[in-house]
Amino acid sequence: MASPLKVCIVGSGNWGSAIARIIGNNTMSLQRFSTTVKMWVFEENINGRKLTDIINTEHENIKYLPRYKLPENVIAVPKLCDAAEGADLLVFVVPHQFIRNLCDEIVGCVPTKARGITLIKGIDEGPEGLKLISDIIREKMGIDVSVLMGANIANEVAAEKFCETTIGSKILENGLLFKELLQTPNFRITVVDDADTVELCGALKNIVAVGAGFCDGMRCGDNTKAAVIRLGLMEMIAFAKLFSKNGSVSTATFLESCGVADLITTCYGGRNRRVAEAFSKTGKSIEQLEKEMLNGQKLQGPATAAEVYHILKQKGLVDKFPLFTAVYQICFEGKPVQEMISCLQSHPEHM
């Protein structure tokens, strides 16, 4: 019998804590995994107490996922290397801005036979253009990396409401291994091999959600929002086709949970939509609203819009993606929010 696989969760925000509930419970009942799960927690002081101490004594992340208990076998660890030491399976769930530094810090502590899965929604703009988060982890750490993306609002997953999700994996057996670690009766997983498209969907839908939030702020109604979702999906597909490494993008992947389902739930329920609506109504900056509204969580949509815009500009393709471009310009270049409607009216789809 092979020794049980040790799991480390890299990150402990809202989504990281929700996934820790699943992993903690599953590892207690599945022989294949070690029952102790280490979770790296960025140390913070909450009313004079360390967050790791609170999690390890009260088994609750009171800052990022209050009111939901974490299983007692999930141990919060403040030093990244200590958390990752000897891990066989690494679950990455941190804001995408931090991934490069974290990989540099962790690389010496993890065996090369380890396998990773990223739940991180975002892309990186490298010197040579588009970089997927899984590629950064793969290159820096030399391990195989799967991705998990889907219509998974963290608090609903924590409340054990039914949802679906998608794992994209270039090595099928690794995708199936993570499915075993993560699936529950209320968290149903489909494994597909089009991993890059799965990951791009997770990043790009946050840009569309910002556009949907602008429309909510202007009280445009559900028909307009449906147009944002549809045109946004068309731009997501076009972008994925443009940037796929081997030209093979399966349109069927967009019908999985990581595609149309995640897009819908984010445009109706996510933090990107909520902050964009407030931006539209208050005229405050995105940074200011992130501080005021998100209790330390990071917003991914505007940052991803900026990365996508720079990549499109480099390639002279800005005109082909009016919705992505409008979101960027409204967030960062002071364009009026009404530009969102103009971009829909004159979208190439309608020409």
Side-chain angles (χ1 to χ4, degrees), residues 6 10 14 22 42-43 67 97 114 134 150 183 191 196 216 218 241 249 272 285 291 303-304 310 326 340 342 349:
K6 293 187 185 139
V10 181
N14 182 237
I22 290 177
F42 178 76
E43 192 67 279
R67 299 185 307 284
Q97 301 89 317
S134 61
Q183 182 157 271
V191 180
D196 291 352
D216 287 343
M218 292 185 284
K241 286 186 171 160
V249 168
N272 288 283
S285 75
K291 280 198 186 77
T304 306
H310 295 141
M340 202 61 230
S342 324
E349 280 267 308

Side-chain angles (χ1 to χ4, degrees), residues 65-326:
L65 191 69
R67 299 185 307 284
Y68 293 101
K69 287 289 180 201
L70 294 169
E72 296 192 5
N73 58 326
V74 174
I75 311 298
V77 180
K79 277 209 174 102
L80 184 53
C81 236
D82 294 347
E85 188 77 53
D88 300 294
L89 302 176
L90 293 156
V91 179
F92 292 92
V93 53
V94 291
H96 80 275
Q97 301 89 317
F98 303 139
I99 194 65
R100 284 177 184 275
N101 293 346
L102 291 177
C103 285
D104 289 339
E105 208 175 310
I106 206 175
V107 73
C109 328
V110 174
T112 46
K113 65 175 192 339
R115 288 165 276 193
I117 189 166
T118 165
L119 282 61
I120 299 171
K121 310 229 164 138
I123 53 176
D124 197 73
E125 176 204 340
E128 64 295 344
L130 176 76
K131 253 291 195 247
L132 295 172
I133 302 302
S134 61
D135 287 336
I136 295 172
I137 301 170
R138 210 175 275 117
E139 285 167 22
K140 284 186 172 284
M141 299 190 59
I143 62 173
D144 182 64
V145 186
S146 301
V147 299
L148 179 145
M149 305 279 150
N152 308 143
I153 287 177
N155 287 51
E156 294 180 17
V157 173
E160 294 172 36
K161 294 180 176 175
F162 178 85
C163 71
E164 304 173 309
T165 199
T166 312
I167 287 179
S169 204
K170 296 180 184 191
I171 299 175
L172 185 64
E173 67 178 293
N174 291 347
L176 294 171
L177 175 63
F178 280 111
K179 174 175 178 169
E180 196 181 333
L181 176 69
L182 293 163
Q183 182 157 271
T184 73
N186 283 321
F187 191 66
R188 305 311 290 178
I189 299 173
T190 305
V191 180
V192 301
D193 61 4
D194 189 6
D196 291 352
T197 306
V198 172
E199 188 167 359
L200 272 175
C201 283
L204 297 173
K205 54 97 198 190
N206 282 330
I207 305 178
V208 185
V210 173
F214 291 155
C215 289
D216 287 343
M218 292 185 284
R219 297 197 171 84
C220 293
D222 284 337
N223 298 341
T224 307
K225 191 149 144 182
V228 169
I229 292 172
R230 188 188 78 83
L231 293 168
L233 180 62
M234 300 307 282
E235 290 193 15
M236 284 166 63
I237 294 171
F239 190 91
K241 286 186 171 160
L242 263 175
F243 291 95
S244 77
K245 295 189 192 74
N246 46 16
S248 68
V249 168
S250 163
T251 313
T253 306
F254 291 92
L255 298 177
E256 295 290 348
S257 182
C258 61
V260 68
D262 195 7
L263 180 60
I264 292 167
T265 197
T266 310
C267 287
Y268 279 90
R271 64 182 91 150
N272 288 283
R273 187 217 63 78
R274 202 169 81 238
V275 172
E277 180 182 16
F279 176 92
S280 186
K281 285 178 172 166
T282 63
K284 292 178 178 176
S285 75
I286 292 284
E287 292 75 25
Q288 198 178 348
L289 291 165
E290 185 179 62
K291 280 198 186 77
E292 285 174 19
M293 295 173 69
L294 294 185
N295 184 33
Q297 288 177 287
K298 289 280 173 236
L299 205 57
Q300 301 294 334
T304 306
E307 280 149 353
V308 163
Y309 179 78
H310 295 141
I311 291 164
L312 291 172
K313 201 164 177 194
Q314 231 176 338
K315 302 221 181 273
L317 292 168
V318 168
D319 299 347
K320 299 253 188 297
F321 293 87
L323 191 145
F324 287 176
T325 301

Side-chain angles (χ1 to χ4, degrees), residues 314-347:
Q314 231 176 338
K315 302 221 181 273
L317 292 168
V318 168
D319 299 347
K320 299 253 188 297
F321 293 87
L323 191 145
F324 287 176
T325 301
V327 169
Y328 165 76
Q329 291 175 331
I330 293 165
C331 287
F332 297 105
E333 292 187 345
K335 279 258 171 103
V337 175
Q338 290 69 23
E339 285 291 312
M340 202 61 230
I341 305 304
S342 324
C343 108
L344 302 177
Q345 291 166 334
S346 60
H347 201 280

Side-chain angles (χ1 to χ4, degrees), residues 27-46:
T27 52
M28 280 196 273
S29 58
L30 298 168
Q31 315 282 268
R32 194 168 181 185
F33 306 102
S34 166
T35 42
T36 302
V37 175
K38 290 183 178 173
M39 176 169 76
W40 173 64
V41 174
F42 178 76
E43 192 67 279
E44 298 179 60
N45 269 338
I46 312 282

